[in-house]
């Protein structure tokens, strides 16, 4: 008998631990089964990208950190660059796995420093050699007119292009997951580089956190990485999550102009026992299909359906056998596509031709916006024309619960309409299933 | 090497220091193959005597009596084993199971796990009960019918309702019966075309949403407000002329009693709808609050929870469904009635939804519940609720002192008989959530706890329910175990990460197979095909 009482099997120089399904021998990890995870699998690779100036604007009330002037003003006002610390907090949750996970880090403070601080010996992707410091760059930009930032300006100047390049290099090097610390601007940059080709998890460190790609805290981000890359990959599902960003200039003028830039594949931890009962990838896909089936089942002939952006509404279009503009608004009537990626003008013109119309929208982004984020084409004029009672909100129960009790939000730009839309809405959560949910402004 | 007496003393002293009452425990562990993998051709447990020649001559071969087409072509592929091998196999399995009477079932919140008196097992095994045939004429079932009828009368008194059936074979079955009764009620009134929506709440039992779906209704779920009970405004928004009724619990899974429950019922009645309350677990309100007094039209009890009949896999279940006069005509047939001094099975009920189960339901559960109610008496029933609530609040005091444990909703308000706690803080601090704690606590001989019904609204949840059965030592032990695991999570993380250490099996790691029809295997045949990659016999 080569099986020991403690659930560990040993033979030769190797060891197999009951339950995790891998054979470890001689520095290699052999995984049972076939396909992607079959055979000799190298140690998992985690990309780490930190935007060192993310979040500086927020601490001093500047509503974002995009743009050189803003960073400068923030530092002047005494803002502390907190993203590196937050990244380190996430990575420290992984220190125990330093032999199991290889870190591909962007250079210097963009990842490598934080990885080393957490006990890793990262493989550095790219270089910042010869780069000037922020203070030097600012002196160059502003001449001697620029005030002296002191020690606060003595860090290497990096840009969004560095993050983008690092993300591309990590994808090319076979990263299994990229962890970034930043805000919506950083998320956008990484989304441009890798899209959904490599899973990405965000450490919330920016001022703008409208995207749905972040873990709730730095530690939680580290925990989901551990789960996904090592502890229990089966306990994690990848979800297509929205990448949003708002125009900071407009935001500073108290106008919100949010755009839906795309989607990234984000690992989401779920309970193991829970998954066996009802959750899981299959469960969530099933729930989406149920939502779509419910909506399609009650579609009325001769009625115009204005279908907002998102993956939930995409399932409805798939159910109808129609293509979906993931980031845009599509129009459907009698099972056929009337217009794809419609503008507000298109919508208003189409509404002239239909006596009956419905708006089908889902909550967009991490904050739960039903209107006003990523679907501004569905303008106050469009909503008024269709009528509040003809707005159909769709979302799976999982998505609603991920709001942790916060209300759904409306921000159409028309305060009166927002007030009319707030209250309670019956969200379609499944086939013949609705949830009464609060809508706030 | 085994422990010396000195080492043992030192270890127990250490355990006492850690929490005072932690248990030193180790489960037996056998490397036991499936029974289908055991035995050898020709081995037998029992030799069945062949028919005697005289019998054969008179009536022929037994096999000839099997209709053509029903006889199998090949013998079933069953393991061939001797009696003692079979006995040994199942004893090993049973030893590796932390049975109901071995561990503390404080862990099983929402299940109302209380001691089931062994005397009741004597009663149901007694030949005058065990030998009854369900198709006997009612004249010969008077004793059983009396027990069913009298139990119904007690439950009417406890709930304030007018009519009952004990036919449903479980709690969800009784809840389903309610959905059918409500459907029949509106059908009789000609309103079924208009009304097709049932309202429930996210913290009610999932069967309160699932069973109306099975009965053909749409389901609307209401979320709680910061008080922890259903948001009344949301509830009002859910109710309309399409509403059939509500199916909700109170207290819900959080243990928070909704003191305005009558207002919700009023909203329903104003809309012409009906109100049902799921009282599967009535331990917090027994003898104190009656469903009828809050205006409900119907309710149910799980005789295998509140009324002490063994629960779950350990025994058949029984759902007692109770209604007001208005819904009584629709109860399943037969209804047990009493005319003069005799008991009858009344099938002459034209408005009935029909049968929901064969015979009289699981009447063994009814006998146990009857005995329990008789033993407790009215004051005893109320004391059950009082002790349960006291136990829960004592345990709550201990648990709220454990680092990493929080109690969402209704800050400063007491819970009744159970609490849904959260380990979100522990998870944030240490990376260990509720599953990790659950996997470790079993190393102390405590049953792994119930986390939550689906979906998880409270993050990293766990839900203990210390029924009246448990004494202070049990409560102290339970809380000390959670405290110990919390301490370990903060200071000895590897102990928690690798747990359990004292159990026959390790963590379930590849549960994704449970979601994949191509991988899951719940029968030997499926296991052979999907896991071992072998085709079974044709």
């Amino acid at each position: 008998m080569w099986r020991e009482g403690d659930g560990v099997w040993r033979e030769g120089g190797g060891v197999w631990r009951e339950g995790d399904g891998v054979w470890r021998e001689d520095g290699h990890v052999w995984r049972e089964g076939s396909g992607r995870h079959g055979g000799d699998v190298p140690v998992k690779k985690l990309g780490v990208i930190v935007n060192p100036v993310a979040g500086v604007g927020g601490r001093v009330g500047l509503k974002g950190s995009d743009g050189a002037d803003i960073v400068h003003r923030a530092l002047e006002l005494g803002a502390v660059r907190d993203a590196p610390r937050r990244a380190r907090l996430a990575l420290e949750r992984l220190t125990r796995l330093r032999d199991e996970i290889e870190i591909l880090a962007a250079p210097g403070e963009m990842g490598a420093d934080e990885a080393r601080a957490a006990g890793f010996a990262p493989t550095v992707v790219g270089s910042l050699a010869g780069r000037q410091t922020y203070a030097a760059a600012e002196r160059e930009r502003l001449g001697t007119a620029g005030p002296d930032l002191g020690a606060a300006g003595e860090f290497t100047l990096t840009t969004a292009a560095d993050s983008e390049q690092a993300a591309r290099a990590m994808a090319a090097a076979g990263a299994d997951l990229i962890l970034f610390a930043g805000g919506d601007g950083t998320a956008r940059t990484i989304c441009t580089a890798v899209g959904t080709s490599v899973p990405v998890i965000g450490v919330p460190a920016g001022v703008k956190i409208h995207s749905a790609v972040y873990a709730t805290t730095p530690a939680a981000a580290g925990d989901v990485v551990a789960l996904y890359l090592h502890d229990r990959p089966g306990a994690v599902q990848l979800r297509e999550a929205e990448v949003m960003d708002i125009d900071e200039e407009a935001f500073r003028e108290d106008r919100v102009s949010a755009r839906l830039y795309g989607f990234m594949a984000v690992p989401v931890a779920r309970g193991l026992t829970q998954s066996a009962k009802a959750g899981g990838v299959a469960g969530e896909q099933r729930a989406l299909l149920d939502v779509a089936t419910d909506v399609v089942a009650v579609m009325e002939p001769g009625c115009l359906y204005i279908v907002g952006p998102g993956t939930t509404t995409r399932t409805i279009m798939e159910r109808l056998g129609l293509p979906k503009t993931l980031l845009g608004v599509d129009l459907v009537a009698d099972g056929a596509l009337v217009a794809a990626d419609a503008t507000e003008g298109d919508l208003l013109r189409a509404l002239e031709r239909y006596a009956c119309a419905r708006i089908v929208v889902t909550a967009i982004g991490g904050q739960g916006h039903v209107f006003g984020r990523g679907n501004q084409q569905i303008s106050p004029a469009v909503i008024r024309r269709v009528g509040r009672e003809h707005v159909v909100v769709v979302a799976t129960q999982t998505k609603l619960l991920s709001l942790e009790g916060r209300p759904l939000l409306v921000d159409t730009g028309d305060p009166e309409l927002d007030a009319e839309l707030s209250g309670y809405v019956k969200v379609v959560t499944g086939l013949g299933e609705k949830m009464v949910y609060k809508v706030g402004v | 090497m085994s422990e010396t007496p000195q080492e043992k003393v030192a270890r127990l002293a250490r355990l006492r220091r850690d929490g005072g009452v932690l248990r030193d425990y180790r489960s037996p562990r056998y490397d036991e193959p499936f029974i289908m993998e055991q035995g050898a051709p020709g081995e037998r447990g029992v030799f069945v005597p062949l028919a005697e020649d005289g019998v054969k001559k008179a009536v022929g071969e037994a096999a000839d009596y099997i209709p053509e087409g029903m006889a199998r072509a090949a013998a079933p592929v069953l393991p061939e084993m001797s009696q003692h091998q079979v006995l040994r196999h199942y004893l090993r399995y049973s030893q590796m199971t932390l049975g109901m009477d071995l561990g503390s079932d404080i862990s099983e919140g929402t299940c109302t796990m209380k001691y089931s008196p062994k005397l009741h097992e004597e009663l149901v095994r007694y030949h005058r009960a065990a030998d009854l045939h369900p198709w006997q004429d009612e004249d010969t079932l008077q004793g059983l019918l009396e027990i069913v009828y009298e139990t119904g009368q007690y439950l009417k008194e406890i709930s304030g309702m007018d009519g009952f059936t004990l036919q449903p074979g479980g709690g969800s079955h009784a809840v389903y019966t309610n959905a059918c009764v409500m459907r029949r009620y509106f059908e009789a009134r000609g309103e079924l075309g208009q009304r097709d929506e049932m309202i429930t709440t996210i913290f009610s039992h999932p069967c309160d949403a699932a069973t109306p779906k099975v009965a053909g209704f749409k389901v609307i779920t209401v979320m709680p407000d910061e008080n922890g009970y259903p948001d009344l405004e949301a509830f009002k928004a859910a109710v309309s002329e399409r509403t059939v009724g509500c199916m909700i619990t109170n207290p819900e899974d959080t243990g928070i009693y909704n003191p305005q429950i009558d207002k919700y019922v009023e909203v329903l009645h104003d809309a012409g709808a009906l109100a049902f309350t799921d009282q599967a677990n009535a331990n917090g309100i027994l003898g104190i609050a009656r469903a009828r007094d809050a205006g409900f039209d119907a309710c149910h009890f799980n005789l295998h929870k509140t009324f002490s009949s063994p629960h779950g896999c350990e025994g058949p279940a029984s759902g007692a469904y109770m209604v007001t006069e208005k819904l009584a005509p629709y109860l399943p047939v037969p209804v047990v009635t009493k005319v003069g001094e005799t008991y009858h099975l009344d099938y002459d009920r034209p408005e009935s939804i029909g049968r929901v189960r064969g015979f009289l339901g699981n009447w063994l559960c009814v006998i146990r519940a009857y005995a329990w109610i008789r033993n407790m008496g009215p004051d005893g029933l109320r004391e059950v609720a009082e002790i349960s609530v006291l136990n829960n609040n004592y345990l709550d005091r201990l648990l709220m002192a454990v680092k990493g444990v929080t109690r969402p909703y209704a800050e400063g308000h007491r819970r009744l008989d159970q609490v849904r706690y959260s380990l979100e803080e522990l998870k944030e601090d240490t990376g260990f959530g509720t599953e990790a704690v659950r996997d470790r606590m079993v190393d102390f001989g405590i049953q792994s706890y119930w986390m939550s019904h689906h979906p998880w609204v409270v993050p990293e949840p766990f839900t203990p329910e210390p029924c009246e059965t448990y004494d202070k030592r049990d409560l102290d032990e339970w809380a000390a175990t959670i405290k110990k695991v919390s301490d370990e999570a903060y200071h000895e993380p590897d102990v928690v990460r690798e747990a359990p250490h004292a159990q026959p099996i390790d963590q379930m790691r590849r549960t994704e197979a449970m979601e994949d029809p191509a991988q899951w295997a719940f029968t030997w045949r499926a296991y052979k095909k999907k896991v071992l990659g072998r085709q079974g016999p044709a």
Side-chain angles (χ1 to χ4, degrees), chain B residues 23 95 179 182 388 482 494:
Chain B
R23 199 162 292 279
Q95 286 198 345
M182 285 188 171
S388 299
I482 298 295
D494 287 342

Side-chain angles (χ1 to χ4, degrees), chain A residues 1 3-7 17-21 32 93 96 216-220 223 227 231-235 269-282 294 298 397 401 404-405 424 426 430-438, chain B residues 29 31 197 202 213 217-223 226 231-235 237-240 424 426-432 435 438-439 450-457 459 494 497-499 504-512 514-515:
Chain A
M1 291 290 281
R3 178 174 178 174
E4 295 169 16
D6 59 358
R17 193 175 290 276
E18 190 175 330
D20 68 2
E32 65 184 340
R93 295 300 269 251
R96 67 184 163 88
T216 49
T217 62
D223 289 342
L227 216 53
D231 295 350
R232 294 184 181 184
R270 60 198 162 87
L272 287 169
T273 315
Q274 189 186 14
S275 72
K277 269 193 151 179
V281 183
D294 189 278
V298 295
Q397 213 179 46
L401 293 175
E404 295 177 339
Y424 292 90
K426 289 178 187 170
L431 187 53
E433 287 172 28
K434 287 181 181 150
M435 206 155 170
V436 182
Y437 208 90
K438 202 170 201 160
Chain B
R29 177 173 184 155
D31 186 9
E197 293 179 350
I202 197 87
K213 275 287 283 280
F217 295 125
K218 293 173 180 168
V219 175
I220 299 180
T221 304
V222 177
M223 294 286 286
E226 63 280 4
D231 183 334
L232 183 56
E233 293 310 310
F235 195 85
V239 173
S240 72
E424 193 180 22
L426 185 82
K427 170 106 179 171
E428 180 60 26
D429 291 347
T430 67
F432 295 115
E435 283 165 345
R438 186 191 59 163
D439 283 349
W450 172 245
M451 295 184 285
S452 168
H453 289 116
H454 185 85
W456 284 11
V457 180
D494 287 342
R497 191 170 293 115
E498 300 293 325
I505 57 164
D506 295 329
Q507 295 169 10
M508 294 192 298
R509 292 201 183 197
R510 301 188 63 219
T511 47
E512 61 269 29
M514 304 272 277
E515 293 164 17

Side-chain angles (χ1 to χ4, degrees), chain A residues 112-341:
Chain A
D113 293 354
E114 292 85 348
R116 286 192 196 99
F120 285 89
T123 303
V124 180
V125 175
S127 164
L128 295 177
R131 292 288 182 91
Q132 53 188 170
T133 63
Y134 179 77
E138 285 298 276
R139 276 194 296 274
E140 206 166 277
R141 188 169 71 91
L142 303 169
T144 47
D148 185 11
L149 291 170
E154 294 307 311
F155 61 92
T156 307
L157 175 71
T158 58
T159 64
D162 293 318
S163 302
E164 189 177 330
Q165 202 182 355
R168 283 189 206 284
M170 287 167 189
D176 296 285
L177 174 68
I178 293 174
L179 174 139
F180 78 91
D184 288 337
T186 319
R188 238 177 92 185
T189 304
I190 293 171
C191 184
T192 307
V194 302
T196 54
S197 66
V198 181
V200 175
I201 181 78
V203 174
V207 181
K208 298 167 294 167
I209 302 286
H210 296 96
S211 302
V213 300
Y214 310 97
T216 49
T217 62
D223 289 342
V224 82
V225 172
L227 216 53
Y228 182 59
L229 294 188
H230 180 266
D231 295 350
R232 294 184 181 184
V236 170
Q237 65 182 91
L238 292 177
R239 197 184 64 198
E240 281 177 89
E242 299 97 335
V243 175
M244 316 270 301
D245 198 8
I246 63 171
D247 178 340
E248 290 187 9
E249 281 301 322
F251 191 30
R252 286 189 195 101
E253 290 160 20
D254 281 333
R255 286 187 293 117
V256 174
S257 169
R259 262 192 64 193
L260 177 58
Y261 280 91
F263 291 82
M264 294 204 285
V266 174
V268 179
R270 60 198 162 87
L272 287 169
T273 315
Q274 189 186 14
S275 72
K277 269 193 151 179
V281 183
E284 190 61 9
Q285 278 166 357
R286 179 68 210 239
L288 276 172
L289 191 62
D290 281 353
V291 168
T293 305
D294 189 278
V295 171
V296 170
V298 295
M299 280 191 164
E300 295 164 49
C303 198
L304 180 72
Y305 285 83
I306 299 169
V307 184
T311 51
T312 311
T313 46
R314 177 178 62 189
T315 318
I316 295 170
M317 296 294 276
E318 281 170 0
R319 192 80 180 70
L320 290 166
L322 299 173
K324 175 86 191 90
T325 312
L326 200 49
L327 307 181
V329 176
D330 298 324
L331 301 184
V332 176
D334 297 313
L337 192 67
V338 173
D341 201 7

Side-chain angles (χ1 to χ4, degrees), chain B residues 317-505:
Chain B
S318 179
Y321 176 57
M322 319 296 301
V323 292
T324 56
E325 200 57 60
K326 175 161 77 172
L327 296 179
Y330 313 107
L331 285 171
V333 286
V335 170
V336 179
T337 57
K338 184 180 182 184
V339 179
E341 285 310 304
T342 46
Y343 300 92
H344 300 281
L345 293 170
D346 181 7
Y347 284 90
D348 184 21
R349 302 175 71 88
E351 293 293 305
S352 165
I353 60 168
R355 271 192 174 282
V356 295
R357 193 182 175 88
F359 310 126
L360 285 173
N362 286 324
W363 48 265
L364 298 180
C365 295
V366 179
I367 292 179
R368 294 188 187 101
Y370 174 80
W372 190 77
I373 294 170
R374 295 285 306 199
N375 271 325
M376 302 303 286
D379 295 339
L381 294 177
R382 187 185 170 98
E383 207 180 344
V384 163
E386 289 169 350
I387 296 177
S388 299
V389 173
L390 275 177
N391 270 0
N392 185 46
N393 283 278
Y394 175 74
L395 183 68
D396 180 68
R397 193 62 76 84
L398 299 180
L399 289 174
M400 287 305 288
V402 175
K403 195 173 178 192
V405 176
T406 57
R407 189 186 55 198
Y409 302 109
E411 185 60 38
H413 283 82
R414 283 194 184 135
R415 306 318 195 240
L416 288 191
D417 54 329
Q418 66 186 28
V419 184
R420 180 148 298 154
Y421 295 96
S422 173
L423 289 170
E424 193 180 22
E425 251 179 52
L426 185 82
K427 170 106 179 171
E428 180 60 26
D429 291 347
T430 67
F432 295 115
T434 189
E435 283 165 345
V437 172
R438 186 191 59 163
D439 283 349
R440 175 58 178 151
M441 70 188 292
V442 294
D443 282 340
F444 299 92
I446 298 257
Q447 189 65 257
S448 66
Y449 56 53
W450 172 245
M451 295 184 285
S452 168
H453 289 116
H454 185 85
W456 284 11
V457 180
V458 169
E460 302 301 325
F462 72 100
T463 317
E465 182 191 2
C467 293
E468 76 279 6
T469 295
Y470 303 102
D471 64 18
K472 184 171 173 299
R473 282 166 304 182
D474 294 325
L475 302 171
D476 287 341
E477 178 187 354
W478 207 90
T481 305
I482 298 295
K483 180 177 185 313
K484 170 74 175 165
V485 180
S486 163
D487 289 347
E488 287 176 344
Y490 283 99
H491 306 297
E492 296 173 79
D494 287 342
V495 177
V496 180
R497 191 170 293 115
E498 300 293 325
H501 306 277
Q503 284 291 336
I505 57 164

Side-chain angles (χ1 to χ4, degrees), chain B residues 22 135 227 362 437 533:
Chain B
L22 289 176
W135 282 145
N227 294 311
N362 286 324
V437 172

